[in-house]
Amino acid sequence: MTDVLSRLFSIEGKVALVTGGSRGIGLMIARGFVEAGAKTYISSRKADVCDRVAKELSASGTCISLPADLGTEAGARQLADALGARESALNILVNNAGANWGAPMEEYPDVAWDKVLALNVKAIFHMTRLLAPALERAARPGDPARVINIGSIDGLQAPLLETYAYSSSKAGLIHLTRVLARRLAGENINVNAIAPGPFESKMMAETLRVFGDAIKQSCPRGRIGEPEDMAGTAIFLASRASAYITGALIPVDGGIATTV
């Protein structure tokens, strides 16, 4: 890496936490961070999966498993405390853990709203609030600490599938990002969001199986997202190159939501 690229885009030596980092979008980001030299913690609800993925990623750098269920405030506090026992400061928080629920409107259960909003919106607030002191301690002049919230283009447009709580929660996440960005700017913490389009993931597997060809045809770039697309965007938002960006949303969707 040349000196200018290193100065602008390096995250080597930084400490990062990626929630939901054992699969899908979170794994893409965690792998990118580890390979870029960041000390990366990952969390997921299933301890055995989290441990296995952390061990796999450790072949390329430093990755540590911190299993947690973020569906409750107590679970978020448990994760924050576990990180605090290991690190006094945190450079990068990626709020990626999320849930989806699809059902016809006539059958859509109240429990779907409770589960999805708890993980997709409330957990982001809890984790950011609980880890704000650690983020503030990591911040440096010209290089703020970073919070990166993972949304969805379903928060920007009405989805074809009946995922009422999910799309509503992702729209709420986008606005919560702006509110937190304003609140935390004075503490030298940047808060931004990424809105992924279609990527290979467990959450998207059935959608891609049924509609994959149609999605590719509707995408101006003519394909679905690849791991490098997501990792590169997250590394940019975690690096010096984005130090003057906060409260922003970056769709990573090949133009699906941005060219209509």
Side-chain angles (χ1 to χ4, degrees):
M1 186 180 292
T2 65
D3 289 345
V4 66
L5 287 178
S6 179
R7 186 176 75 251
L8 289 176
F9 294 103
S10 175
I11 59 170
E12 186 172 1
K14 292 189 174 185
V15 177
L17 169 63
V18 182
T19 70
S22 67
R23 68 185 192 188
I25 297 294
L27 177 55
M28 295 175 197
I29 293 172
R31 189 184 302 278
F33 281 1
V34 170
E35 293 178 350
K39 183 180 183 181
T40 305
Y41 291 84
I42 61 170
S43 76
S44 71
R45 186 171 51 85
K46 297 181 178 178
D48 58 335
V49 175
C50 197
D51 293 345
R52 176 176 54 79
V53 172
K55 182 177 180 181
E56 174 196 333
L57 294 184
S58 292
S60 303
T62 303
C63 187
I64 300 130
S65 170
L66 292 179
D69 183 351
L70 302 183
T72 66
E73 183 178 4
R77 189 173 298 278
Q78 176 188 343
L79 177 56
D81 289 345
L83 181 74
R86 293 163 174 80
E87 304 288 344
S88 61
L90 178 67
N91 301 96
I92 308 157
L93 169 62
V94 179
N95 286 310
N96 169 73
N100 198 353
W101 195 307
M105 184 172 69
E106 296 80 5
E107 303 170 10
Y108 208 82
D110 198 54
V111 67
W113 290 96
D114 295 337
K115 178 180 178 179
V116 172
L117 289 175
L119 197 54
N120 293 9
V121 181
K122 288 173 65 177
I124 288 174
F125 177 75
H126 292 323
M127 290 305 301
T128 304
R129 178 178 62 178
L130 291 166
L131 289 172
L135 289 161
E136 189 173 358
R137 285 191 290 271
R140 297 290 180 269
D143 190 12
R146 317 301 170 92
V147 177
I148 303 171
N149 296 327
I150 306 304
S152 169
I153 59 170
D154 283 358
L156 296 172
Q157 60 181 19
L160 295 175
L161 301 179
E162 293 187 272
T163 53
Y164 300 100
Y166 178 78
S167 53
S168 299
S169 72
K170 293 303 183 178
L173 176 151
I174 292 168
H175 193 66
L176 177 60
T177 296
R178 297 179 180 128
V179 174
L180 290 172
R182 177 180 286 274
R183 170 61 179 81
L184 294 174
E187 276 72 56
N188 207 16
I189 300 170
N190 286 2
V191 187
N192 293 294
I194 297 172
F199 279 78
E200 291 280 2
S201 68
K202 184 176 181 179
M203 189 177 290
M204 281 289 298
E206 183 62 16
T207 300
L208 291 176
R209 185 186 70 81
V210 177
F211 302 108
D213 290 341
I215 290 172
K216 291 176 185 178
Q217 292 173 8
S218 70
C219 176
R221 294 290 297 130
R223 63 176 176 87
I224 64 170
E226 298 174 354
E228 291 79 7
D229 301 317
M230 188 53 54
T233 305
I235 288 170
F236 165 68
L237 286 176
S239 70
R240 174 61 183 83
S242 67
Y244 200 50
I245 298 173
T246 194
L249 171 71
I250 302 180
V252 183
D253 68 340
I256 293 173
T258 56
T259 61
V260 293

